[in-house]
Amino acid sequence: MRFLSLLWQLGLLFTIRCSLLITGRNDCVIKLDPKSGIKTADCGNRNLTSVPLNLPTDINILDLSKNLITYINSMDFKRYIELTEININNNELKLLDAHAFDILMLKKLHLSSNYLNVSDSYSGNVFHSASALIELDISRNMGLDNCSYNQPVDYRLPGDRLKHLQVLAIDLVCLPKFSTSFRMLRSLKTVRFDTCFISHMSNQTFRNFPQNVKELYIKNCKKFFVVEINTLKYFPSLRILDISHTHINLIQALKLLYPFQNKTMDLINFHHVTVDNTEMYPYDVILTPKVMEYISTICIKTLDISDNNICSIRNKSLILFQYPKCFQQLILSANSFGVGHFVADFAKFIYSMTNLTLLDYSYLPLEYRNPHFLQYSQNLTTYKDDSNYNNSYDVYKTPKTFYIPKNLKHVRISHVMARNKIGTVCISNSSLEILDVSYYDVDTFPKITCDGYCNLRYLDISGMDATRTFGKFPILRNLTTLKIAHSKLYKLIPKNVSIFNWTTNLTLLDLSHNYLWYVGNKSFDGLHFMNSLNISHNMFQTVPRVIMSFVKLTELDLSYNLLSSLEDYFTIWINAQYKQFGSFKLYLQGNALLCACDTAHFLAWIFVTKASLDMDRNYTCRMHDGENNFTANIIKDYHTYFASCNSELWMKVGVSLLTAMCFCIVCITLLYNFRWKIVFYFHRKFRKIVEKGLEVNFKYDVYLSYSDDGASFIKKVLQPTIERRWGLRMCCEDRDFGVGESNVDIRASSIQKSRHIIFVITPSFITREWNRFEIERAKYEKFAKDLQKIVVIVYKTSLKNTPTELSAIWNDVCVIEWPEEGGELFTVWQKLRLWLF
Ligand SMILES: *[C@@H]1O[C@H](CO)[C@@H](O)[C@H](O)[C@H]1NC(C)=O
Ligand SMILES: *[C@@H]1O[C@H](CO)[C@@H](O)[C@H](O)[C@H]1NC(C)=O
Ligand SMILES: *[C@@H]1O[C@H](CO)[C@@H](O)[C@H](O)[C@H]1NC(C)=O
Ligand SMILES: *[C@@H]1O[C@H](CO)[C@@H](O)[C@H](O)[C@H]1NC(C)=O
Ligand SMILES: *[C@@H]1O[C@H](CO)[C@@H](O)[C@H](O)[C@H]1NC(C)=O
Ligand SMILES: *[C@@H]1O[C@H](CO)[C@@H](O)[C@H](O)[C@H]1NC(C)=O
Ligand SMILES: *[C@@H]1O[C@H](CO)[C@@H](O)[C@H](O)[C@H]1NC(C)=O
Ligand SMILES: *[C@@H]1O[C@H](CO)[C@@H](O)[C@H](O)[C@H]1NC(C)=O
Ligand SMILES: *[C@@H]1O[C@H](CO)[C@@H](O)[C@H](O)[C@H]1NC(C)=O
Ligand SMILES: *[C@@H]1O[C@H](CO)[C@@H](O)[C@H](O)[C@H]1NC(C)=O
Ligand SMILES: *[C@@H]1O[C@H](CO)[C@@H](O)[C@H](O)[C@H]1NC(C)=O
Ligand SMILES: *[C@@H]1O[C@H](CO)[C@@H](O)[C@H](O)[C@H]1NC(C)=O
């Protein structure tokens, strides 16, 4: 006790940002928040099998989550009369005593992820005295309920007692029966169903719910169930309807909105409600005016219909909404539709959403692997209706220009393939701050203009050929973050013209994955505010000197380049930066660091510099004998490795000068004779490093797409050389496709597993049914990783006979017109080999 009181006094002495910790006998941690005076006992994750009885009696919050408690008896909480919050999530509760929670003050009770059966693990009495309860969570308890017993299951909650209950989370059993006492839950605002076994939701299911519910969540119900059209009519005040990941099909979900016609909703979240799990509704969702009948009359602030396999939109039904001004956030991503046939109307529609702040139109129209979904807030600000803002459609005199609605802050149009018809995007005087158009696969990138002020501060144009986006942007003084990864910048930078002079206020620049090996001094002119630079995954052998002109740089990513060490002047500069700003982050992983006498200085620096380095400063490095070791190991034995460096130095110089001369002569001869081999060797080595870094593992080297009349060419000409002589592995459909596998799946996965793809265009190729699919896949893989090469071999036909889909990506394709014979053949083979290695 004396010890405790001493601690107590100590705690008072340090008045206090951190809270006071006392470790009790059963290791529960008691914390006192000095500001609010709330005392918390943290007993989580301690293998407890019962409620500890030796805690201070004045605790307010008790956390018992992740233990092994099976039963709560009437005495367990009796002594903790000041408890307001109990968390027993993730235990093994099977039974609750009727008086378990006879604590009048209890406000929040969490019993999620246990084994409490709604019908027989507790009686309604258990909550009788918990009349102060505001939040009750008994979700994820019914582990199994497969509708095998055809009995309605009673939900025994004493509505008349739980007068203050606002949030109720519970499981939805197969045949739920909510008693009339639910009507008396007068404060109930939020209902969450997180696990469900229901097979049919009828007009009667929620009959007894109080009318004041504002938020309804029916999430993660993976089993299809039928919903009657008027099921939700008992929730007239509903503002949030979230059924994301509940697989009832988008068409049926849209019917669910029947009772909300002409109303206002804050959020309708139908994210990923369509899967291929029922005969009743087709997996391919087609939007028609009929399907959109109810939703189009609702004033919706946030609408999310992403990831639903919407394949087609008939009669412009996507833009039939009667209240476009209500929209604040619109998420349409990861579907399969295009708006190409009504793009002008779509643009007008977007423009008419004057309150819109977030537009997410990404991962369209192909199916992309692992799309990334945005987190958007459910907290919306209301915008002032700015009546001066001229948003009449008059500005649309030139349909080729797209105007950004005034309040739009965040636009993501990423991973989209489209034929672009919009020539100019005007962002003047809008609120646009974040624009992500990465991997936007269009023929021409529109010109962005800004006549007035522009607020853009974040721009991502990764994944597009930089030559296509270069020069398309106006001067953007407010831009601080620019990402141009995967964009073949190597085509631009060596020209040594200033390529960032339109955005000189950048603080963060990402230039990774660009095959850069050189940066001229001029290229980065004017970037005086740069804080963080990422040039990882390039081919730098030395750190470009221009970096030292970034006087404010404190973070530099050099990982996955070809650096063997850092020069002294550069390490000195880093130290100076650290001294000035108090921090410097440097990433060096994945380089070709050398552990030898000439780099000894650098190795020592790694371990003494105050700058923070990645990998705990332990990098792989190559020794002079060719073995690999780790910098941390080497530095431990620094003296054994490097003691002899200096004394040997002069002798070495002499000897090496002599040998160097002979060597040079030999080398030049060898180099000339083996020039192809050497080129291949380094090319291949480099690719391997890059691929390892990307963690891609290719099963095949080449995927071959060909039609019947190309088969013999493959067998007689390509295969012997590519497979037998060069040792590359080919994937040919006749040989490598297993029997019985779905054609689409195996094609897609084989293309994904191949390093490159070759289209062999023969006279009948154009009529082949798989062309389009394979070309689309190839395009996708290429843009997703930008490693693969697409090679087109035109054999016994003319270039005119290539499918149009291919000509759309002409820039990214290597074309070989196969010669009949003769000297050209040799060049063609060498070309092919260089591309494929
Ligand atoms: C709980 O029990 C498991 C299994 O017996 C054991 O691995 C774990 O370390 C225990 N945890 C604590 C906090 O005692
Ligand atoms: C819940 O209790 C009912 C009635 O006792 C029983 O039929 C059902 O099987 C139980 N469910 C689970 C998941 O244990
Ligand atoms: C329901 O669950 C029981 C117990 O696990 C099992 O025996 C029965 O086959 C299941 N019924 C259905 C229709 O899945
Ligand atoms: C449910 O309500 C809708 C609309 O009121 C009605 O058309 C439908 O027949 C009802 N279903 C049942 C089974 O009563
Ligand atoms: C919605 O409003 C329209 C036009 O004001 C009206 O014709 C329609 O009957 C209303 N629908 C419902 C369900 O109230
Ligand atoms: C939502 O709004 C409330 C009140 O305005 C604020 O306290 C809360 O931090 C907001 N939450 C988020 C995630 O922005
Ligand atoms: C924006 O939305 C609010 C309601 O959320 C509405 O009152 C206002 O008229 C809208 N503003 C515009 C410009 O449409
Ligand atoms: C940058 O943003 C500020 C505040 O939003 C704005 O006032 C200013 O005009 C913008 N600057 C430019 C050059 O557009
Ligand atoms: C940026 O540099 C390029 C090439 O040097 C030049 O053509 C362009 O006019 C410059 N832009 C600005 C805004 O200075
Ligand atoms: C941007 O750069 C200009 C000069 O080019 C400077 O006057 C302005 O203050 C900078 N703005 C910000 C937000 O850094
Ligand atoms: C450095 O990393 C390697 C590989 O992870 C490890 O084997 C070695 O023990 C590490 N060396 C030190 C000193 O941590
Ligand atoms: C790496 O260096 C350590 C320390 O000198 C040494 O013990 C170890 O054998 C070396 N490993 C290899 C693979 O050379």
mmCIF file of all heavy atoms in Angstrom, residues 658-683:
data_model
loop_
_atom_site.group_PDB
_atom_site.id
_atom_site.type_symbol
_atom_site.label_atom_id
_atom_site.label_comp_id
_atom_site.label_asym_id
_atom_site.label_seq_id
_atom_site.Cartn_x
_atom_site.Cartn_y
_atom_site.Cartn_z
ATOM 1 N N LEU A 658 49.718 -1.612 -63.957
ATOM 2 C CA LEU A 658 50.307 -2.518 -64.938
ATOM 3 C C LEU A 658 49.251 -3.437 -65.532
ATOM 4 O O LEU A 658 49.086 -3.537 -66.743
ATOM 5 C CB LEU A 658 51.393 -3.356 -64.258
ATOM 6 C CG LEU A 658 52.816 -3.082 -64.742
ATOM 7 C CD1 LEU A 658 53.810 -3.806 -63.853
ATOM 8 C CD2 LEU A 658 52.969 -3.513 -66.198
ATOM 9 N N THR A 659 48.565 -4.099 -64.608
ATOM 10 C CA THR A 659 47.594 -5.067 -65.089
ATOM 11 C C THR A 659 46.485 -4.380 -65.874
ATOM 12 O O THR A 659 45.976 -4.922 -66.842
ATOM 13 C CB THR A 659 46.959 -5.845 -63.928
ATOM 14 O OG1 THR A 659 46.796 -4.955 -62.853
ATOM 15 C CG2 THR A 659 47.791 -7.039 -63.513
ATOM 16 N N ALA A 660 46.167 -3.191 -65.425
ATOM 17 C CA ALA A 660 45.057 -2.499 -66.075
ATOM 18 C C ALA A 660 45.295 -2.371 -67.568
ATOM 19 O O ALA A 660 44.391 -2.585 -68.371
ATOM 20 C CB ALA A 660 44.861 -1.120 -65.449
ATOM 21 N N MET A 661 46.566 -2.063 -67.909
ATOM 22 C CA MET A 661 46.851 -1.861 -69.322
ATOM 23 C C MET A 661 46.611 -3.120 -70.140
ATOM 24 O O MET A 661 45.942 -3.100 -71.168
ATOM 25 C CB MET A 661 48.288 -1.374 -69.514
ATOM 26 C CG MET A 661 48.351 0.149 -69.553
ATOM 27 S SD MET A 661 50.026 0.719 -69.560
ATOM 28 C CE MET A 661 50.531 0.251 -71.201
ATOM 29 N N CYS A 662 47.185 -4.226 -69.617
ATOM 30 C CA CYS A 662 46.993 -5.486 -70.341
ATOM 31 C C CYS A 662 45.504 -5.816 -70.385
ATOM 32 O O CYS A 662 44.958 -6.180 -71.427
ATOM 33 C CB CYS A 662 47.712 -6.638 -69.640
ATOM 34 S SG CYS A 662 49.388 -6.235 -69.238
ATOM 35 N N PHE A 663 44.908 -5.622 -69.257
ATOM 36 C CA PHE A 663 43.514 -5.986 -69.112
ATOM 37 C C PHE A 663 42.641 -5.252 -70.132
ATOM 38 O O PHE A 663 41.776 -5.833 -70.767
ATOM 39 C CB PHE A 663 43.071 -5.663 -67.690
ATOM 40 C CG PHE A 663 41.727 -6.180 -67.347
ATOM 41 C CD1 PHE A 663 41.504 -7.545 -67.277
ATOM 42 C CD2 PHE A 663 40.672 -5.313 -67.089
ATOM 43 C CE1 PHE A 663 40.261 -8.024 -66.960
ATOM 44 C CE2 PHE A 663 39.425 -5.803 -66.782
ATOM 45 C CZ PHE A 663 39.226 -7.163 -66.711
ATOM 46 N N CYS A 664 42.944 -3.987 -70.266
ATOM 47 C CA CYS A 664 42.138 -3.166 -71.166
ATOM 48 C C CYS A 664 42.140 -3.746 -72.570
ATOM 49 O O CYS A 664 41.097 -3.858 -73.212
ATOM 50 C CB CYS A 664 42.682 -1.741 -71.233
ATOM 51 S SG CYS A 664 42.058 -0.754 -69.898
ATOM 52 N N ILE A 665 43.353 -4.095 -72.983
ATOM 53 C CA ILE A 665 43.478 -4.609 -74.352
ATOM 54 C C ILE A 665 42.648 -5.875 -74.505
ATOM 55 O O ILE A 665 41.853 -6.027 -75.434
ATOM 56 C CB ILE A 665 44.960 -4.875 -74.691
ATOM 57 C CG1 ILE A 665 45.705 -3.532 -74.637
ATOM 58 C CG2 ILE A 665 45.103 -5.527 -76.053
ATOM 59 C CD1 ILE A 665 47.198 -3.658 -74.634
ATOM 60 N N VAL A 666 42.824 -6.764 -73.520
ATOM 61 C CA VAL A 666 42.066 -8.017 -73.573
ATOM 62 C C VAL A 666 40.570 -7.726 -73.562
ATOM 63 O O VAL A 666 39.797 -8.266 -74.347
ATOM 64 C CB VAL A 666 42.446 -8.925 -72.380
ATOM 65 C CG1 VAL A 666 41.597 -10.181 -72.387
ATOM 66 C CG2 VAL A 666 43.918 -9.263 -72.437
ATOM 67 N N CYS A 667 40.217 -6.824 -72.671
ATOM 68 C CA CYS A 667 38.796 -6.524 -72.500
ATOM 69 C C CYS A 667 38.161 -6.037 -73.788
ATOM 70 O O CYS A 667 37.092 -6.487 -74.176
ATOM 71 C CB CYS A 667 38.605 -5.428 -71.461
ATOM 72 S SG CYS A 667 38.490 -6.107 -69.840
ATOM 73 N N ILE A 668 38.854 -5.101 -74.389
ATOM 74 C CA ILE A 668 38.266 -4.498 -75.574
ATOM 75 C C ILE A 668 38.014 -5.572 -76.630
ATOM 76 O O ILE A 668 36.944 -5.623 -77.245
ATOM 77 C CB ILE A 668 39.167 -3.373 -76.118
ATOM 78 C CG1 ILE A 668 39.110 -2.198 -75.121
ATOM 79 C CG2 ILE A 668 38.718 -2.917 -77.496
ATOM 80 C CD1 ILE A 668 40.158 -1.147 -75.357
ATOM 81 N N THR A 669 39.000 -6.460 -76.759
ATOM 82 C CA THR A 669 38.819 -7.537 -77.728
ATOM 83 C C THR A 669 37.623 -8.397 -77.336
ATOM 84 O O THR A 669 36.745 -8.699 -78.157
ATOM 85 C CB THR A 669 40.081 -8.438 -77.758
ATOM 86 O OG1 THR A 669 41.200 -7.646 -77.419
ATOM 87 C CG2 THR A 669 40.257 -9.089 -79.093
ATOM 88 N N LEU A 670 37.624 -8.762 -76.041
ATOM 89 C CA LEU A 670 36.541 -9.642 -75.582
ATOM 90 C C LEU A 670 35.184 -8.960 -75.739
ATOM 91 O O LEU A 670 34.231 -9.540 -76.249
ATOM 92 C CB LEU A 670 36.738 -9.995 -74.111
ATOM 93 C CG LEU A 670 37.765 -11.085 -73.846
ATOM 94 C CD1 LEU A 670 37.875 -11.321 -72.347
ATOM 95 C CD2 LEU A 670 37.371 -12.376 -74.549
ATOM 96 N N LEU A 671 35.178 -7.729 -75.280
ATOM 97 C CA LEU A 671 33.919 -6.987 -75.306
ATOM 98 C C LEU A 671 33.335 -7.000 -76.704
ATOM 99 O O LEU A 671 32.141 -7.213 -76.893
ATOM 100 C CB LEU A 671 34.165 -5.533 -74.908
ATOM 101 C CG LEU A 671 33.882 -5.184 -73.467
ATOM 102 C CD1 LEU A 671 34.261 -3.748 -73.211
ATOM 103 C CD2 LEU A 671 32.422 -5.423 -73.146
ATOM 104 N N TYR A 672 34.248 -6.767 -77.671
ATOM 105 C CA TYR A 672 33.749 -6.690 -79.020
ATOM 106 C C TYR A 672 33.171 -8.034 -79.464
ATOM 107 O O TYR A 672 32.063 -8.113 -79.994
ATOM 108 C CB TYR A 672 34.843 -6.231 -79.985
ATOM 109 C CG TYR A 672 34.271 -5.986 -81.345
ATOM 110 C CD1 TYR A 672 33.491 -4.841 -81.573
ATOM 111 C CD2 TYR A 672 34.418 -6.903 -82.367
ATOM 112 C CE1 TYR A 672 32.910 -4.622 -82.794
ATOM 113 C CE2 TYR A 672 33.836 -6.685 -83.598
ATOM 114 C CZ TYR A 672 33.079 -5.543 -83.806
ATOM 115 O OH TYR A 672 32.481 -5.333 -85.016
ATOM 116 N N ASN A 673 33.894 -9.082 -79.147
ATOM 117 C CA ASN A 673 33.432 -10.394 -79.589
ATOM 118 C C ASN A 673 32.172 -10.860 -78.873
ATOM 119 O O ASN A 673 31.340 -11.533 -79.443
ATOM 120 C CB ASN A 673 34.532 -11.429 -79.391
ATOM 121 C CG ASN A 673 35.608 -11.256 -80.445
ATOM 122 O OD1 ASN A 673 35.311 -10.789 -81.539
ATOM 123 N ND2 ASN A 673 36.839 -11.581 -80.100
ATOM 124 N N PHE A 674 32.107 -10.509 -77.591
ATOM 125 C CA PHE A 674 30.977 -11.045 -76.812
ATOM 126 C C PHE A 674 29.946 -9.971 -76.505
ATOM 127 O O PHE A 674 29.209 -10.065 -75.538
ATOM 128 C CB PHE A 674 31.483 -11.644 -75.500
ATOM 129 C CG PHE A 674 32.277 -12.895 -75.709
ATOM 130 C CD1 PHE A 674 33.658 -12.870 -75.749
ATOM 131 C CD2 PHE A 674 31.625 -14.103 -75.873
ATOM 132 C CE1 PHE A 674 34.385 -14.017 -75.952
ATOM 133 C CE2 PHE A 674 32.359 -15.258 -76.068
ATOM 134 C CZ PHE A 674 33.746 -15.222 -76.111
ATOM 135 N N ARG A 675 29.909 -8.935 -77.335
ATOM 136 C CA ARG A 675 29.076 -7.803 -76.941
ATOM 137 C C ARG A 675 27.621 -8.187 -76.698
ATOM 138 O O ARG A 675 27.007 -7.741 -75.742
ATOM 139 C CB ARG A 675 29.179 -6.684 -77.972
ATOM 140 C CG ARG A 675 28.719 -7.052 -79.367
ATOM 141 C CD ARG A 675 29.186 -5.980 -80.350
ATOM 142 N NE ARG A 675 28.627 -6.154 -81.665
ATOM 143 C CZ ARG A 675 29.070 -7.051 -82.550
ATOM 144 N NH1 ARG A 675 30.078 -7.863 -82.225
ATOM 145 N NH2 ARG A 675 28.521 -7.160 -83.746
ATOM 146 N N TRP A 676 27.087 -9.073 -77.509
ATOM 147 C CA TRP A 676 25.681 -9.446 -77.311
ATOM 148 C C TRP A 676 25.509 -10.182 -76.003
ATOM 149 O O TRP A 676 24.624 -9.884 -75.212
ATOM 150 C CB TRP A 676 25.195 -10.318 -78.470
ATOM 151 C CG TRP A 676 24.864 -9.503 -79.677
ATOM 152 C CD1 TRP A 676 25.516 -9.498 -80.856
ATOM 153 C CD2 TRP A 676 23.808 -8.548 -79.797
ATOM 154 N NE1 TRP A 676 24.941 -8.606 -81.712
ATOM 155 C CE2 TRP A 676 23.878 -8.009 -81.099
ATOM 156 C CE3 TRP A 676 22.811 -8.086 -78.931
ATOM 157 C CZ2 TRP A 676 23.006 -7.053 -81.564
ATOM 158 C CZ3 TRP A 676 21.925 -7.134 -79.387
ATOM 159 C CH2 TRP A 676 22.031 -6.629 -80.691
ATOM 160 N N LYS A 677 26.407 -11.140 -75.767
ATOM 161 C CA LYS A 677 26.307 -11.934 -74.535
ATOM 162 C C LYS A 677 26.324 -11.036 -73.307
ATOM 163 O O LYS A 677 25.573 -11.204 -72.373
ATOM 164 C CB LYS A 677 27.480 -12.915 -74.447
ATOM 165 C CG LYS A 677 27.304 -14.156 -75.280
ATOM 166 C CD LYS A 677 27.582 -15.395 -74.433
ATOM 167 C CE LYS A 677 26.997 -16.638 -75.068
ATOM 168 N NZ LYS A 677 27.875 -17.253 -76.060
ATOM 169 N N ILE A 678 27.256 -10.044 -73.354
ATOM 170 C CA ILE A 678 27.403 -9.179 -72.184
ATOM 171 C C ILE A 678 26.153 -8.340 -71.994
ATOM 172 O O ILE A 678 25.623 -8.227 -70.888
ATOM 173 C CB ILE A 678 28.651 -8.289 -72.344
ATOM 174 C CG1 ILE A 678 29.883 -9.178 -72.253
ATOM 175 C CG2 ILE A 678 28.692 -7.212 -71.271
ATOM 176 C CD1 ILE A 678 31.161 -8.512 -72.650
ATOM 177 N N VAL A 679 25.664 -7.825 -73.079
ATOM 178 C CA VAL A 679 24.439 -7.026 -72.990
ATOM 179 C C VAL A 679 23.320 -7.870 -72.393
ATOM 180 O O VAL A 679 22.628 -7.463 -71.460
ATOM 181 C CB VAL A 679 24.041 -6.492 -74.390
ATOM 182 C CG1 VAL A 679 22.648 -5.927 -74.348
ATOM 183 C CG2 VAL A 679 25.024 -5.436 -74.836
ATOM 184 N N PHE A 680 23.190 -9.113 -72.890
ATOM 185 C CA PHE A 680 22.125 -9.977 -72.375
ATOM 186 C C PHE A 680 22.312 -10.245 -70.900
ATOM 187 O O PHE A 680 21.378 -10.212 -70.115
ATOM 188 C CB PHE A 680 22.112 -11.316 -73.124
ATOM 189 C CG PHE A 680 21.747 -11.164 -74.562
ATOM 190 C CD1 PHE A 680 22.303 -11.980 -75.520
ATOM 191 C CD2 PHE A 680 20.839 -10.197 -74.950
ATOM 192 C CE1 PHE A 680 21.966 -11.840 -76.843
ATOM 193 C CE2 PHE A 680 20.498 -10.056 -76.279
ATOM 194 C CZ PHE A 680 21.066 -10.880 -77.230
ATOM 195 N N TYR A 681 23.580 -10.520 -70.539
ATOM 196 C CA TYR A 681 23.838 -10.883 -69.157
ATOM 197 C C TYR A 681 23.385 -9.771 -68.217
ATOM 198 O O TYR A 681 22.629 -9.992 -67.281
ATOM 199 C CB TYR A 681 25.325 -11.172 -68.961
ATOM 200 C CG TYR A 681 25.658 -11.486 -67.536
ATOM 201 C CD1 TYR A 681 25.390 -12.759 -67.018
ATOM 202 C CD2 TYR A 681 26.200 -10.519 -66.697
ATOM 203 C CE1 TYR A 681 25.667 -13.041 -65.708
ATOM 204 C CE2 TYR A 681 26.479 -10.807 -65.387
ATOM 205 C CZ TYR A 681 26.213 -12.075 -64.883
ATOM 206 O OH TYR A 681 26.460 -12.356 -63.589
ATOM 207 N N PHE A 682 23.809 -8.539 -68.512
ATOM 208 C CA PHE A 682 23.476 -7.453 -67.602
ATOM 209 C C PHE A 682 21.995 -7.130 -67.638
ATOM 210 O O PHE A 682 21.371 -6.856 -66.626
ATOM 211 C CB PHE A 682 24.310 -6.213 -67.923
ATOM 212 C CG PHE A 682 25.685 -6.323 -67.369
ATOM 213 C CD1 PHE A 682 26.773 -6.558 -68.176
ATOM 214 C CD2 PHE A 682 25.883 -6.255 -65.995
ATOM 215 C CE1 PHE A 682 28.029 -6.698 -67.652
ATOM 216 C CE2 PHE A 682 27.143 -6.400 -65.463
ATOM 217 C CZ PHE A 682 28.228 -6.627 -66.294
ATOM 218 N N HIS A 683 21.463 -7.202 -68.827
ATOM 219 C CA HIS A 683 20.052 -6.922 -68.976
ATOM 220 C C HIS A 683 19.241 -7.866 -68.096
ATOM 221 O O HIS A 683 18.384 -7.472 -67.331
ATOM 222 C CB HIS A 683 19.699 -7.122 -70.448
ATOM 223 C CG HIS A 683 18.397 -6.513 -70.809
ATOM 224 N ND1 HIS A 683 18.210 -5.166 -70.851
ATOM 225 C CD2 HIS A 683 17.215 -7.070 -71.146
ATOM 226 C CE1 HIS A 683 16.981 -4.915 -71.198
ATOM 227 N NE2 HIS A 683 16.346 -6.050 -71.374
#
